[in-house]
C-alpha cells in the first residue's frame, strides 16, 4: 500500500523519461520510482532515514541516492526540465517575486566532519549533462558551520532560504546561506540561478518580465542590476532612503517608480514558501551537509511543480 505523498501515475509518466539510466558497468539501479517515493516520504515527514517504511526498500539505498543526486545536480536538473516543459506550453507566469525565509536547524544538523565524504565514481549517467558540482570528487562544504550554511542565533543554528517564485507560487531558483545573511546580498545570486531551458533550440530563459520584492531589497545595487538587465521591478523605498533623497534636493534624484497593484502579487512568493514548509524536512533542517539540504529543498520544489 502506497503513501498519500507518493508519485501518482501521471506524475511518474512526466518524470520517468528524465531520470538517469544505468551505464551497466556498476550494477543496476534500484527501481527509481520506489526510491524517489522513499525520498519524498522522508522529506514530507521528517523521519530519520533509518525509520523509512520497508515498502521503500533499504534505507541506505534511498539515502545514498538522495545524497548522490544532491551532489551531482540531478535534482536541480530534474526541476529545470519540469520548468522547461511548463514554459513550453506557457504555464509559467514570469511576473516573479523574490524573498527569503529562515529555517531552524535541528541540533542533529550540526557537527559535520571538516571534509565531506568523497563521491563514489561509476554511477553517473551516461549521455546526460551534469552540473559542475558533479565533476568533482568531493561536494562543496566542510570546514565549519558557516561553510555548511549554518548561522548562529539566540535560538541556535539557522539556515536561510533565498528564492524566487513565479506568479503561480512555484519556485524558480534557490540559494541557501547561514541564517544571519542579509536578504539583499543574495539577490543577484537568486536572479542568476533562474535558468529555464528550451525544449527545442535556443538559450535558456533567464530574464523574467518583472520582479517584485520587499523593502529589504531596496538599495542602489539591486536597482542598478535590474535596470542593467532591463527588468521592470517593484521594490518599495525605505523611509530613511526617501528622507536622504529629499535632503539632497535635486541631486538626490527622482523617487523610484512604484506600482501598488503589481506589488500586491508579491504574496505569491510567501505562498511558495508555505508550500515548501509543508515538507517537515524543509521547515526544520536535519541534514548536516549544505549540499544535501539544498537537494532536499530542491526535491520539495520539484514535488510542488509535479503536483501543479
Amino acid at each position: 500500500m502506497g503513501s498519500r505523498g507518493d508519485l501518482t501515475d501521471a506524475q511518474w509518466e512526466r518524470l520517468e523519461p528524465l531520470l538517469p539510466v544505468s551505464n551497466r558497468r556498476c550494477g543496476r539501479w534500484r527501481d527509481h520510482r520506489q526510491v524517489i517515493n522513499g525520498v519524498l516520504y522522508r522529506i514530507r515527514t521528517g523521519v530519520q532515514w533509518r525509520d523509512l517504511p520497508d515498502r521503500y526498500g533499504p534505507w541506505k539505498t534511498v539515502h545514498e541516492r538522495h545524497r548522490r543526486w544532491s551532489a551531482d545536480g540531478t535534482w536541480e536538473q530534474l526541476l529545470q526540465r519540469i520548468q522547461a516543459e511548463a514554459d513550453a506550453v506557457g504555464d509559467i507566469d514570469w511576473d516573479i517575486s523574490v524573498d527569503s525565509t529562515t529555517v531552524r536547524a535541528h541540533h542533529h544538523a550540526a557537527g559535520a566532519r571538516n571534509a565531506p565524504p568523497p563521491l563514489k565514481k561509476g554511477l553517473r549517467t551516461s549521455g546526460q549533462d551534469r552540473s559542475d558540482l558533479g565533476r568533482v570528487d568531493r561536494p562543496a562544504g566542510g570546514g565549519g558551520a558557516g561553510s555548511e550554511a549554518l548561522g548562529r542565533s539566540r535560538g541556535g543554528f539557522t539556515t536561510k532560504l533565498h528564492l524566487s517564485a513565479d506568479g503561480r507560487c512555484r519556485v524558480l531558483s534557490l540559494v541557501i546561506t547561514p541564517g544571519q545573511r542579509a536578504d539583499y546580498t543574495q539577490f543577484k545570486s537568486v536572479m542568476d540561478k533562474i535558468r529555464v531551458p528550451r525544449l527545442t533550440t535556443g538559450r535558456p530563459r533567464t530574464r523574467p518580465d518583472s520582479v517584485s520584492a520587499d523593502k529589504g531589497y531596496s538599495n542602489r545595487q539591486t536597482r542598478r542590476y535590474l535596470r542593467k538587465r532591463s527588468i521592470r521591478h517593484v521594490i518599495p523605498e525605505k523611509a530613511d532612503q526617501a528622507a536622504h533623497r529629499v535632503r539632497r534636493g535635486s541631486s538626490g534624484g527622482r523617487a523610484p517608480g512604484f506600482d501598488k497593484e503589481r506589488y500586491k502579487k508579491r504574496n505569491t512568493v510567501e505562498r511558495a514558501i508555505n508550500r515548501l514548509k509543508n515538507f517537515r524536512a524543509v521547515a526544520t533542517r536535519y541534514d548536516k551537509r549544505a549540499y544535501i539540504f539544498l537537494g532536499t529543498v530542491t526535491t520539495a520544489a520539484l514535488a510542488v511543480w509535479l503536483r501543479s
Side-chain angles (χ1 to χ4, degrees), residues 245-301:
R245 175 175 48 78
V246 171
R247 283 196 303 268
R248 295 184 62 188
S250 59
S251 62
R254 295 178 298 176
F258 184 74
D259 185 346
K260 290 185 178 180
E261 293 302 317
R262 170 66 183 90
Y263 190 69
K264 290 179 181 179
K265 292 182 65 176
R266 199 190 65 83
N267 68 83
T268 55
V269 69
E270 304 287 353
R271 290 152 61 191
I273 290 172
N274 289 340
R275 286 185 176 185
L276 285 180
K277 286 194 169 182
N278 284 334
F279 295 84
R280 293 189 177 184
V282 176
T284 302
R285 174 178 170 176
Y286 299 101
D287 301 310
K288 292 182 184 293
R289 295 292 178 191
Y291 75 91
I292 297 181
F293 181 63
L294 180 59
T296 296
V297 183
T298 303
T299 308

Side-chain angles (χ1 to χ4, degrees), residues 189-228:
S189 298
V190 171
M191 294 295 296
D192 290 345
K193 287 201 69 175
I194 298 175
R195 188 178 181 85
V196 177
R198 310 286 186 178
L199 287 185
T200 54
T201 58
R203 297 179 179 179
R205 177 162 183 175
T206 60
R207 191 174 67 177
D209 294 333
S210 68
V211 175
S212 64
D214 60 24
K215 291 182 179 180
Y217 297 90
S218 178
N219 58 73
R220 293 182 180 178
Q221 292 83 1
T222 298
R223 298 184 191 275
R224 187 182 301 118
Y225 171 83
L226 292 169
R227 284 196 298 267
K228 183 178 180 180

Side-chain angles (χ1 to χ4, degrees), residues 105-139:
H106 194 273
H107 61 272
H108 289 169
R113 292 177 295 178
N114 289 338
L119 289 174
K120 297 178 182 179
K121 298 181 180 180
L123 290 180
R124 296 196 181 95
T125 306
S126 59
Q128 292 191 2
D129 294 331
R130 284 291 181 265
S131 65
D132 291 338
L133 188 59
R135 299 190 184 103
V136 297
D137 290 335
R138 291 182 183 274

